[in-house]
Amino acid sequence: MKKKMTKKARIEAVWGLCMIAPTIIGLLVLNYYPICETVYQSFCKTGDFGKGNEFIGVTNFVNLFQDAEVFSTLFNAAKYTVFSLPATVFLSLVLAVLMNRKMIGRSAYRTIFFLPMVCAPAAVAMVWKWMFNQDYGLLNHMIGAKINWVTDPKVAMIAIVIVGVWGALGNNMILLLGGLQDIPKDYYEAAAVDGSTGVHSFFHITIPLLSPMLFFIIQTGVMGSLNLFDLPFMIMDKTSRAWPSVKTISYLFYEYAFEQSNRGYGAAIVMFLIAIIGVLTVVLQKTEKMWVHYD
């Protein structure tokens, strides 16, 4: 039998709702309303300032599947993901293992590697543009070459990947470091008694127990990489011949929605990208049980 709430319990429940109301309202206004509006606009030919929308059904999606630029920009985003994500995960893991060891100045090293996360993206882009400069850039000076990092279509994506990996290392290293410090030392001591080497313990103790954090980094990395927008936008010049080789589908959405005021088509591009990320997320979730260990 369902018990009736006392007057005191009702008052507490009302106060509880009042306390979380700002968060609920914020989520509805800032998250859920834009999502619903984007879905609606993807089926419309939008007017100026979001007014005068005309429902046109799936026309935007039909045009999208006939637009070669959508698939070329999606390919660029996928290419960035394939190149940057493995490098980011591997280097972050190596750094986390090194930073987990006792060494002089360990806190200072951790701070240095985390610094890119707190630097202003615009300032970072300016510094990297200077480093990539063909004539007086630091990279060409170090390797003794004259590479057109930001104007050659063959190497422009590599330049973007370098900056992306550099920027993501600190945050991923901290996450993996936290995971490493949660692994009980008893496991390694028991393995050492049984004759296990350091390498054997790393692959049979560290990696399995770190797999939940690795899975989290990979999953969020895939989402973030496919949504790449800021790095090409800030580092590359849109008049450069290399721009088409680094232009991503997120920038294509921005171009249609905000530069050409074709928000309906821009919304359709976003919905297409969300569908792809959703499918990849489901695939990753299906593979989770195969290699992620929570015990």
Side-chain angles (χ1 to χ4, degrees):
M1 183 177 174
K2 191 176 179 181
K3 291 177 67 177
K4 279 190 174 180
M5 291 179 71
T6 63
K7 185 179 178 182
K8 183 181 177 183
R10 282 200 298 273
I11 292 173
E12 287 181 351
V14 170
W15 273 109
L17 285 173
C18 290
M19 291 295 178
I20 63 172
T23 303
I24 294 175
I25 293 171
L27 282 173
L28 290 173
V29 173
L30 301 176
N31 290 64
Y32 296 113
Y33 173 72
I35 291 172
C36 296
E37 185 66 16
T38 301
V39 173
Y40 168 68
Q41 289 193 4
S42 67
F43 295 99
C44 295
K45 180 181 179 183
T46 53
D48 294 334
F49 304 107
K51 303 294 183 183
N53 294 340
E54 178 187 348
F55 185 78
I56 55 173
V58 296
T59 303
N60 284 329
F61 291 95
V62 172
N63 294 335
L64 182 150
F65 284 105
Q66 296 173 347
D67 189 347
E69 192 175 21
V70 170
F71 293 97
S72 67
T73 52
L74 177 63
F75 176 72
N76 288 339
K79 193 164 56 174
Y80 173 80
T81 305
V82 169
F83 286 131
S84 68
L85 191 57
T88 304
V89 173
F90 175 73
L91 293 175
S92 301
L93 182 59
V94 171
L95 282 177
V97 172
L98 291 176
M99 293 298 108
N100 197 37
R101 293 171 176 269
K102 290 182 180 177
M103 65 171 70
I104 299 173
R106 184 171 64 175
S107 298
Y109 286 126
R110 289 178 182 177
T111 305
I112 290 170
F113 284 116
F114 191 72
L115 271 180
M117 287 299 299
V118 296
C119 293
V124 169
M126 292 298 294
V127 172
W128 277 102
K129 283 179 80 170
W130 168 75
M131 292 179 69
F132 284 137
N133 188 281
Q134 180 187 357
D135 297 320
Y136 51 85
L138 181 61
L139 282 182
N140 281 347
H141 178 73
M142 288 174 62
I143 62 178
K146 278 211 167 191
I147 301 174
N148 300 320
W149 291 97
V150 294
T151 56
D152 187 344
K154 294 179 180 175
V155 297
M157 181 57 78
I158 296 174
I160 299 297
V161 168
I162 290 173
V163 183
V165 171
W166 173 81
L169 275 183
N171 185 54
N172 291 342
M173 180 198 73
I174 293 297
L175 291 173
L176 291 171
L177 193 56
L180 284 172
Q181 291 176 350
D182 280 342
I183 300 175
K185 297 279 188 288
D186 299 351
Y187 293 169
Y188 296 104
E189 291 169 1
V193 170
D194 290 339
S196 175
T197 62
V199 175
H200 186 271
S201 296
F202 178 77
F203 284 105
H204 291 83
I205 297 176
T206 305
I207 293 296
L209 294 179
L210 210 55
S211 58
M213 193 58 74
L214 287 170
F215 179 75
F216 172 78
I217 290 173
I218 291 171
Q219 191 165 34
T220 53
V222 169
M223 294 177 188
S225 299
L226 289 176
N227 276 313
L228 180 69
F229 172 84
D230 53 350
L231 288 182
F233 179 67
M234 290 188 293
I235 293 176
M236 305 297 294
D237 187 347
K238 286 192 288 182
T239 59
S240 166
R241 61 194 175 98
W243 174 244
S245 66
V246 297
K247 182 177 176 181
T248 62
I249 190 168
S250 291
Y251 187 85
L252 187 66
F253 148 74
Y254 170 80
E255 198 171 66
Y256 276 106
F258 298 103
E259 292 183 351
Q260 301 181 20
S261 296
N262 189 352
R263 290 180 175 77
Y265 193 62
I269 292 173
V270 167
M271 296 307 301
F272 178 58
L273 180 59
I274 289 174
I276 291 172
I277 292 175
V279 170
L280 290 175
T281 302
V282 170
V283 172
L284 283 171
Q285 291 288 341
K286 292 291 182 187
T287 62
E288 181 184 6
K289 292 180 181 176
M290 298 169 62
W291 65 279
V292 179
H293 306 275
Y294 289 100
D295 296 326

